[in-house]
Amino acid sequence: MNIIVCIKQVPNTNEVRIDPVRGTLIREGVPSIINPDDRNALEEALRIKDTYENVKVTVLSMGPPQADAALREAIAMGADEGILLTDRAFAGSDTWATSTALAAGIRYIGDYSIIFCGRQAIDGDTAQVGPQIAEHLGLPQITYVEELKIEGDKVIAKRALEDGYFVIESKMPVLLTAIKELNKPRYPSIKGVYDAYKGDKVKLLSAKDIDVDFDNIGLEGSPTQVNRSFTPSGRTGQGEIFQGDYKECVNKLIVRLREKHLV
Amino acid sequence: MDFNLSKEQLMVRSIMREFTENEVKPIAAEIDKTGRFPRETVEKMAKYNMMGIPFPAEYGGAGGDDLAYIIAVEELSKWCASTGVILSAHTSLACWPIYKYGTEEQKQKYLVPLAKGEYLGAFALTEPNAGTDAASQQTTAVLDGDNYILNGTKIFITNGGQADVYIVFAMTDKSKGSRGISAFIVEKDYPGFSIGKIEEKMGIRASSTAELIFQNCIVPKENLLGKEGEGFKIAMSTLDGGRIGIAAQALGIASGALEETIKYVKERQQFGRPLAKFQGLQWMIADMATEIDAARLLVYRAAFNKSNGLPYGKEAAMAKLFASECAMNVTTKCVQLFGGYGYTMDYPMERMMRDAKITEIYEGTSQVQQMVIAAAVLK
């Protein structure tokens, strides 16, 4: 069974600061990490590899040449190989252009049973790329996976909702997106680090190497236009204080919450 | 001259940082208080090949280099100097002499499980009357048929009582003085070997420091490490490398303390502004940051030399002398900057200060480092 895990290298937002004037991230000196949800996706793929025989895990990313480090880290965790789509033609891609490129990368890899993505990236929070890849490839998709079982040629996934969950069964091939509740990712092993840098474990592919429509990648191929980014000023709404008998207060509170359609 | 870490070393550092943050920091205060040996952390380190970083994969190691190992000790020691020294004593003092002086059989039998972390290692040189004067060994080893019979007592042995394998030094020929000392690989279950007193210490309280007692302890003669009479050379060359590990521990303590202090002085307000806005305190921070950076360069150079086959005895002594005194100085000042809070156990500063002191003492006191350095520069 072949599993492809899509990962994104992102700035560690715990250490990132925002330029107050331009409203953009100050990336200088901020360490890059594998996007946390993507690590959960990778961990689940590696657990499948640990459990079943003949499982191959390929990590796929689109990004600048430095994203090589994220793929090597994934290999140090236990993935078999990495593929990095890197080309100036991909620069400035929004989610549509990114998913177009990744889907082309996945077609290039060919044989797969599961495509695993993280729910969303901490530097964009869109949660769009995974589902879009599934649409490009015409695959069934299960998002927000918090528990996963493999049975024969099917997956059975628990899909988290805000106030409950679905249990969904799907035939493979299927695209899944992972949330942090799915598992606790392992650390890369130190031996894995040294092995990851030995030999030719990461393959670099340009836009021309994969069969991709150039009108749908990069800045030109991105329908999203960023007009301006800014830090919202503090909330202006005023608080309301209920005083007196607590039962009466609770009643008033519930009435107010209902008026606002919050309960 | 290139001051950049390799891609592998950078990744090791980020793994060790995350590991320390998630697995080591949360229990650091508790194990300091109780003096409990963090067996679970050792098992986790074994799982991720942290127990044999600089040794080749065919001997159970991670296939890394000395600098990556040193970075691991530094990162662990930022939050828990006890965990830092467990790794340092195991790697530098137990694994390394077997790697350097062991026969192929000894390497397969002992180094492989040690480097994999299946065994924990320790190094037993110090005796009640042989501290800095390590050549005055009173423990004896007498060849009797196929075995050596060991008698004597070792004290202050790091990982003592927790280790599975000990590198033990003993006199095989008293008439030859330091050239009559030999080294042995001793398993914890050998008959006649027992653990005596476990020390209650001021710092590194979760690291086990024990007395080892040998009463007609039977050690198979194939467990002689190196040749008879080579023990002192083995001990001294092992300590040359061990000092880089302790220097890294000291460096970790100092940089962890400063990192916490920088956060604190930015938050703590007095006279209507954060402490960080007071110039007198800024100067303290600036001096500490400079001293730590200088220590780091010395420590990394010593590790670099060791990895690259360059001489490192003097460099290791300089690194340990400077880094350990830096750790003591920095943690003392950090307690000062934390004020009353720094003196309480609610904050890690007092623990870091207690932990720092030992780095000026073990694996050669500061005065021993000065002797080594002076001998090298005055020769």
Side-chain angles (χ1 to χ4, degrees):
Chain A
M1 176 169 36
N2 291 340
I3 304 177
I4 299 171
V5 183
C6 299
I7 66 169
K8 183 179 186 184
Q9 189 183 46
V10 293
N12 188 350
T13 51
N14 289 333
E15 297 185 34
V16 89
R17 286 169 300 135
I18 309 250
D19 183 328
V21 181
R22 299 165 65 197
T24 51
L25 298 179
I26 303 171
R27 293 195 178 216
E28 205 185 9
V30 178
S32 293
I33 56 170
I34 298 177
N35 179 53
D37 286 346
D38 303 351
R39 271 179 75 170
N40 294 103
L42 175 59
E43 173 63 29
E44 201 62 21
L46 295 175
R47 287 184 188 192
I48 296 169
K49 183 177 157 75
D50 293 342
T51 313
Y52 300 94
E53 282 183 8
N54 299 321
V55 176
K56 182 179 169 192
V57 176
T58 303
V59 274
L60 172 67
S61 189
M62 184 188 88
Q66 306 88 279
D68 175 78
L71 293 169
R72 304 273 177 187
E73 187 180 334
I75 293 167
M77 284 171 73
D80 295 283
E81 60 176 22
I83 291 178
L84 177 61
L85 308 179
T86 187
D87 197 319
R88 289 207 168 273
F90 295 129
S93 289
D94 69 356
T95 61
W96 170 262
T98 302
S99 62
T100 302
L102 289 172
I106 291 165
R107 278 195 211 98
Y108 174 92
I109 297 166
D111 184 27
Y112 52 83
S113 302
I114 299 175
I115 312 290
F116 236 130
C117 299
R119 173 189 56 166
Q120 63 191 37
I122 51 173
D123 61 346
D125 279 346
T126 68
Q128 291 171 0
V129 171
Q132 286 176 4
I133 292 171
E135 293 302 317
H136 288 306
L137 297 172
L139 292 178
Q141 56 175 292
I142 308 173
T143 51
Y144 308 112
V145 173
E146 62 174 352
E147 222 177 278
L148 183 70
K149 266 194 297 193
I150 310 268
E151 273 182 18
D153 62 347
K154 290 181 306 192
V155 296
I156 301 166
K158 204 164 156 183
R159 177 176 191 264
L161 302 173
E162 273 177 24
D163 51 357
Y165 58 86
F166 287 142
V167 175
I168 301 177
E169 191 179 292
S170 167
K171 278 208 159 184
M172 293 189 271
V174 60
L175 183 138
L176 308 169
T177 78
I179 58 173
K180 69 172 189 297
E181 287 75 11
L182 180 58
N183 52 44
K184 182 177 181 250
R186 67 195 68 186
Y187 302 96
S189 79
I190 307 293
K191 180 173 182 297
V193 172
Y194 284 88
D195 289 345
Y197 278 98
K198 273 184 210 136
D200 205 12
K201 296 199 174 77
V202 174
K203 191 171 182 179
L204 303 182
L205 295 177
S206 69
K208 281 188 187 140
D209 294 328
I210 52 175
D211 183 18
V212 65
D213 175 7
F214 275 68
D215 291 338
N216 280 302
I217 57 166
L219 191 62
E220 294 293 306
S222 295
T224 314
Q225 305 283 324
V226 177
N227 183 21
R228 175 171 85 95
S229 54
F230 61 96
T231 312
S233 52
R235 283 169 190 268
T236 50
Q238 291 200 333
E240 203 173 325
I241 297 169
F242 303 109
Q243 282 177 323
D245 176 61
Y246 76 92
K247 276 189 182 164
E248 215 172 282
C249 286
V250 170
N251 282 336
K252 277 186 197 164
L253 173 66
I254 287 169
V255 169
R256 293 288 288 123
L257 291 175
R258 283 210 175 121
E259 280 170 10
K260 288 177 176 289
H261 302 289
L262 290 171
V263 290
Chain B
M1 194 170 192
D2 185 359
F3 286 99
N4 291 308
L5 297 177
S6 71
K7 287 173 178 172
E8 290 92 335
Q9 289 157 350
L10 282 171
M11 202 178 285
V12 169
R13 187 175 71 183
S14 89
I15 294 165
M16 293 311 304
R17 263 187 200 163
E18 197 184 344
F19 182 84
T20 303
E21 183 73 24
N22 297 338
E23 316 293 338
V24 177
K25 179 177 169 181
I27 60 167
E30 178 255 313
I31 60 176
D32 169 66
K33 212 171 213 172
T34 58
R36 179 178 70 79
F37 183 85
R39 178 57 65 177
E40 73 275 32
T41 309
V42 174
E43 281 165 14
K44 286 176 196 164
M45 289 199 289
K47 188 172 164 193
Y48 296 107
N49 315 123
M50 295 167 185
M51 300 299 282
I53 295 175
F55 306 108
E58 67 258 35
Y59 291 126
D65 55 82
D66 288 288
L67 186 47
Y69 150 62
I70 282 313
I71 289 169
V73 175
E74 176 190 355
E75 291 298 329
L76 290 170
S77 303
K78 278 187 182 173
W79 270 101
C80 181
S82 293
T83 309
V85 76
I86 292 167
L87 180 64
S88 180
H90 168 85
T91 309
S92 290
L93 301 186
C95 297
W96 187 82
I98 300 176
Y99 175 62
K100 174 79 179 169
Y101 298 103
T103 62
E104 188 56 32
E105 290 73 34
Q106 288 170 339
K107 286 180 192 173
Q108 292 301 332
K109 189 170 178 192
Y110 295 109
L111 179 58
V112 170
L114 280 165
K116 283 183 176 170
E118 292 161 6
Y119 287 173
L120 185 68
F123 172 91
L125 177 69
T126 299
E127 298 182 357
N129 294 312
T132 293
D133 181 12
S136 296
Q137 294 281 307
Q138 286 175 356
T139 300
T140 57
V142 178
L143 187 62
D144 177 18
D146 288 339
N147 299 303
Y148 282 93
I149 308 299
L150 268 62
N151 278 289
T153 301
K154 299 286 176 184
I155 56 163
F156 302 154
I157 305 308
T158 302
N159 292 344
Q162 296 290 339
D164 305 278
V165 172
Y166 296 78
I167 309 296
V168 179
F169 297 87
M171 275 288 181
T172 40
D173 187 348
K174 206 156 191 151
S175 66
K176 290 186 179 161
S178 68
R179 289 174 193 278
I181 298 170
S182 302
F184 300 89
I185 305 169
V186 177
E187 295 182 27
K188 65 172 179 184
D189 297 324
Y190 281 175
F193 175 28
S194 60
I195 303 299
K197 184 185 172 204
I198 308 284
E199 301 295 340
E200 277 280 345
K201 304 184 297 296
M202 169 184 175
I204 54 160
R205 291 177 45 78
S207 123
S208 178
T209 308
E211 179 186 27
L212 313 184
I213 300 164
F214 301 93
Q215 279 179 315
N216 295 321
C217 172
I218 302 168
V219 178
K221 74 172 181 198
E222 61 268 23
N223 280 30
L224 174 71
L225 183 62
K227 296 194 184 84
E228 261 197 31
E230 278 189 346
F232 195 68
K233 183 185 89 183
I234 293 173
M236 291 303 112
S237 64
T238 301
L239 286 171
D240 278 343
R243 279 167 192 153
I244 313 175
I246 300 308
Q249 183 202 21
L251 170 64
I253 297 170
S255 42
L258 183 61
E259 241 172 62
E260 280 305 290
T261 302
I262 286 170
K263 275 188 226 154
Y264 183 79
V265 296
K266 283 181 177 173
E267 282 164 14
R268 169 77 170 165
Q269 302 253 346
Q270 289 289 275
F271 302 101
R273 56 193 176 138
L275 296 187
K277 295 284 181 199
F278 291 87
Q279 195 179 43
L281 306 187
Q282 288 175 359
W283 288 359
M284 280 168 79
I285 301 270
D287 284 347
M288 287 193 279
T290 307
E291 203 184 324
I292 290 169
D293 237 25
R296 182 170 288 114
L297 291 172
L298 280 172
V299 175
Y300 285 13
R301 180 189 61 169
F304 174 87
N305 278 14
K306 184 163 189 290
S307 269
N308 288 282
L310 300 166
Y312 60 90
K314 179 189 73 178
E315 289 74 11
M318 285 177 166
K320 183 181 179 280
L321 174 67
F322 192 84
S324 61
E325 298 199 340
C326 163
M328 199 62 237
N329 179 35
V330 165
T331 52
T332 308
K333 282 191 181 141
C334 289
V335 169
Q336 191 67 23
L337 284 165
F338 269 72
Y341 292 113
Y343 199 67
T344 69
M345 288 183 151
D346 294 341
Y347 288 85
M349 280 311 129
E350 61 82 32
R351 167 167 57 86
M352 291 173 171
M353 185 175 159
R354 284 186 284 109
D355 287 346
K357 184 63 206 173
I358 190 62
T359 64
E360 294 180 322
I361 298 171
Y362 62 9
E363 296 194 35
T365 59
S366 288
Q367 291 67 38
V368 164
Q369 310 311 324
Q370 287 164 329
M371 282 162 57
V372 172
I373 297 162
V377 300
L378 291 171
K379 73 176 175 196

